[in-house]
Amino acid sequence: MIWKKPWFQFSILLILAFVWGSSFILMKIGLKSFTNDQAAGIRMLLASLVLLPYSIKNLKHLKKKDVKSLLVAGFIGSFIPAFLFTKAQTQIDSALAGMLNSMTPVFTLLVGVLFHRTKFQVLQVLGLVLGLLGAIGLIASGNGLEIGHVNSYALYIVLATCFYAININEIKARLSHLSGMQITSLAFFFTGPAALFYLLTTDFAPVIENPNWPIHLLALAGLGIIGTAIAMILMNSLIRYASAVYASSVTYIIPIFAIMWGILDNERITAFHLICMLIILLGVYLINKKK
């Protein structure tokens, strides 16, 4: 089984980091025409629609004992965090959002230890600390981070990372008998109607006043289809075969791709950036290192 291979798991982490590292840009573009709640709702609805054929196909695998965990995966793992992130993005910069998002592995370990009796190794904790320090150093070195802009909206992202941690541990503990596609499609089968119902209550008249709204909708489509539906299939598959903390360490790698985007935009990369990247990769390696 290729999913059990460490090199393949790390490759999936890199793909997820690239996709989610680009999500902040797509979110920012979508917010130019749509309200933060509309952007989140569209993201979730489009993800649910693209997964709908698979949702219907996998209904035969839906067991009563799995419904609670699938609701957690759908609403706690994706739906509510989507709204929390777009809300936060209206008042804080992307750099701070990335830094706060790096709290996910820490919360994942805490939730696992406190509620799922997850065993951990000293090397895992060391890897967590190194990864967090590397991510913070990488983001703090950017020009976009303004500590003066830290406000109550930052708590929305902290709450989202807590929800991510709950979701990852729930899937690892109770849904490992299902495939990543089954978990994702069945979870989004429940969130789709909720997203549609919410969007029908919003006012789209101001949106169409912006002549560029189709471009902004296209950005949200990419966010929903690639950054949510496909990415969650990969993530939920990874959770089945790797440790919960290792899967969540993708948030440490996301800032690396943010730097890469900066290079393409003619930003300068320094030795400090490279050192932070190496620290992050070392931390991720230690998190997944076997005894």
Side-chain angles (χ1 to χ4, degrees):
M1 172 63 72
I2 194 170
W3 279 94
K4 294 182 179 180
K5 304 289 185 182
W7 66 266
F8 186 76
Q9 294 176 358
F10 185 69
S11 299
I12 297 298
L13 272 189
L14 291 179
I15 293 171
L16 287 171
F18 172 76
V19 171
W20 283 331
S22 307
S23 293
F24 294 106
I25 300 171
L26 296 175
M27 213 178 297
K28 187 175 182 180
I29 295 173
L31 289 173
K32 291 181 178 179
S33 287
F34 299 89
T35 67
N36 56 281
D37 288 337
Q38 286 174 335
I42 291 171
R43 174 185 185 178
M44 296 308 300
L45 178 61
L46 292 177
S48 299
L49 288 176
V50 78
L51 287 170
L52 186 58
Y54 302 97
S55 302
I56 295 172
K57 177 183 177 181
N58 288 315
L59 279 176
K60 60 186 177 184
H61 299 289
L62 182 60
K63 301 291 194 302
K64 185 177 180 180
K65 67 180 180 67
D66 295 330
V67 172
K68 179 182 76 69
S69 296
L70 288 169
L71 288 173
V72 169
F75 287 94
I76 302 297
S78 294
F79 190 88
I80 298 176
F83 283 84
L84 292 173
F85 262 93
T86 51
K87 182 72 172 178
Q89 285 281 99
T90 63
Q91 296 294 328
I92 65 175
D93 54 54
S94 296
L96 179 59
M99 180 182 290
L100 294 171
N101 196 35
S102 296
M103 293 298 295
T104 301
V106 178
F107 286 129
T108 300
L109 180 62
L110 289 175
V111 171
V113 171
L114 293 176
F115 300 102
H116 295 275
R117 298 179 181 178
T118 301
K119 295 180 180 179
F120 63 92
Q121 304 172 33
V122 175
L123 278 181
Q124 260 193 325
V125 177
L126 179 59
L128 279 174
V129 173
L130 285 176
L132 185 59
L133 289 176
I136 290 175
L138 203 56
I139 299 167
S141 66
N143 296 325
L145 182 61
E146 298 181 27
I147 299 300
H149 284 182
V150 177
N151 53 46
S152 59
Y153 280 76
L155 296 177
Y156 287 117
I157 294 184
V158 175
L159 182 58
T161 60
C162 290
F163 283 167
Y164 286 151
I166 293 170
N167 171 59
I168 291 171
N169 279 285
E170 183 73 18
I171 290 175
K172 184 66 178 178
R174 298 189 171 90
L175 291 177
S176 290
H177 57 285
L178 297 176
S179 69
M181 174 62 82
Q182 290 167 349
I183 295 169
T184 309
S185 61
L186 291 174
F188 278 77
F189 184 73
F190 296 111
T191 60
L196 177 61
F197 176 78
Y198 173 75
L199 287 172
L200 291 176
T201 67
T202 65
D203 182 13
F204 283 94
V207 173
I208 59 177
E209 292 178 2
N210 188 329
N212 293 321
W213 72 265
I215 298 175
H216 303 155
L217 178 61
L218 187 62
L220 293 178
L223 186 63
I225 296 170
I226 301 174
T228 305
I230 296 176
M232 288 308 299
I233 292 171
L234 294 176
M235 181 64 169
N236 290 335
S237 298
L238 180 63
I239 293 171
R240 292 183 68 208
Y241 297 102
S243 72
V245 175
Y246 180 72
S248 67
S249 67
V250 64
T251 57
Y252 289 160
I253 308 177
I254 287 173
I256 294 179
F257 285 97
I259 295 294
M260 297 301 179
W261 278 113
I263 295 173
L264 292 176
D265 197 31
N266 296 318
E267 291 184 8
R268 189 169 62 93
I269 185 169
T270 67
F272 182 72
H273 289 139
L274 295 175
I275 292 171
C276 289
M277 290 180 192
L278 289 174
I279 291 173
I280 290 171
L281 295 177
L282 176 60
V284 172
Y285 169 75
L286 291 177
I287 288 172
N288 203 41
K289 185 174 174 59
K290 307 301 181 186
K291 287 183 179 180

